[in-house]
Amino acid sequence: SVGRAREVAVRAALGARRGGIVRQLLVESLLLALAGGALGLLLAYWGVDALLALHRDLIPRSHEVGIDLTVLAFTLGVSLVTGVLFGLVPSLQLSRTDLHETLKEGGRAGGAHMRAGFRNALVVFEVAVALVLLVGAGLLVKSFMRLQEVNPGFRPQNLLAMQVSLPPAKYREAAQADAFYAQALENIRHL
């Protein structure tokens, strides 16, 4: 938005209304945010496919891993909020700039030093958050790799684990359920 301050000032001087300028900048921001969200979804789709191609047998319930409507709705919502928030604030600031100062050759809008300090602080904050996320992701991957190497204390080959829920209408008493489990265990041992 700082790079476009002169363009916006020229358009305002030529008679463009403030609402029209804000709308145009907001639409541009929304399009960028939605394109970023779509690219993120594409990368997520490819990432899930790559992860499943590499370690399908090692990931429990891998058939359930994927991108569903909840992920799509969340991505759309985050993209829209990001586009509106990061498009509306700069466009409102741009539309309020002093036309005379901005149109001067080499002139800067009033309060530019304060805004430059805020921008610099925002860049530092973004880099810090990105670094924390990057380190966290690296530690998560390293922990996952180490977890794959842990000896569980038994041989997991040829084992089956299951959970059985008995209908309460048929098995009202604990003794009935215990008898069922004992009989099922005995039948399984014979197999």
Side-chain angles (χ1 to χ4, degrees):
S1 66
V2 171
R4 296 184 70 184
R6 189 165 176 80
E7 171 198 342
V8 170
V10 167
R11 292 178 65 201
L14 291 175
R17 295 183 180 219
R18 181 176 178 215
I21 293 172
V22 169
R23 269 194 305 273
Q24 179 194 353
L25 295 174
L26 186 60
V27 166
E28 290 174 2
S29 176
L30 278 172
L31 286 174
L32 281 173
L34 289 174
L39 182 62
L41 275 175
L42 184 64
L43 288 174
Y45 181 76
W46 288 342
V48 167
D49 283 348
L51 183 68
L52 291 177
L54 292 175
H55 300 289
R56 183 175 297 277
D57 297 334
L58 298 176
I59 299 174
R61 297 170 33 183
S62 62
H63 63 280
E64 295 178 16
V65 176
I67 297 176
D68 60 357
L69 288 177
T70 307
V71 172
L72 292 173
F74 178 77
T75 303
L76 178 65
V78 167
S79 297
L80 288 175
V81 168
T82 301
V84 168
L85 181 66
F86 291 101
L88 193 60
V89 173
S91 63
L92 287 175
Q93 283 180 345
L94 273 180
S95 66
R96 289 188 195 144
T97 58
D98 183 15
L99 294 178
H100 180 69
E101 288 294 321
T102 306
L103 290 175
K104 276 186 189 178
E105 192 65 37
R108 298 180 69 137
H113 295 294
M114 183 180 75
R115 281 184 272 181
F118 177 72
R119 279 194 312 270
N120 292 340
L122 187 60
V123 168
V124 168
F125 177 73
E126 288 173 354
V127 169
V129 169
L131 185 63
V132 167
L133 288 173
L134 189 61
V135 168
L139 289 173
L140 183 69
V141 168
K142 188 173 183 179
S143 297
F144 180 72
M145 297 305 255
R146 284 188 176 174
L147 223 103
Q148 295 295 323
E149 298 170 359
V150 169
N151 182 3
F154 61 90
R155 288 179 302 138
Q157 294 81 15
N158 300 322
L159 292 181
L160 175 66
M162 69 178 89
Q163 183 177 3
V164 178
S165 299
L166 300 177
K170 187 173 180 182
Y171 298 94
R172 295 177 195 255
E173 297 178 18
Q176 290 176 318
D178 288 343
F180 171 81
Y181 289 131
Q183 181 64 41
L185 205 57
E186 188 63 32
N187 290 343
I188 291 171
R189 280 191 188 114
H190 286 295
L191 286 176

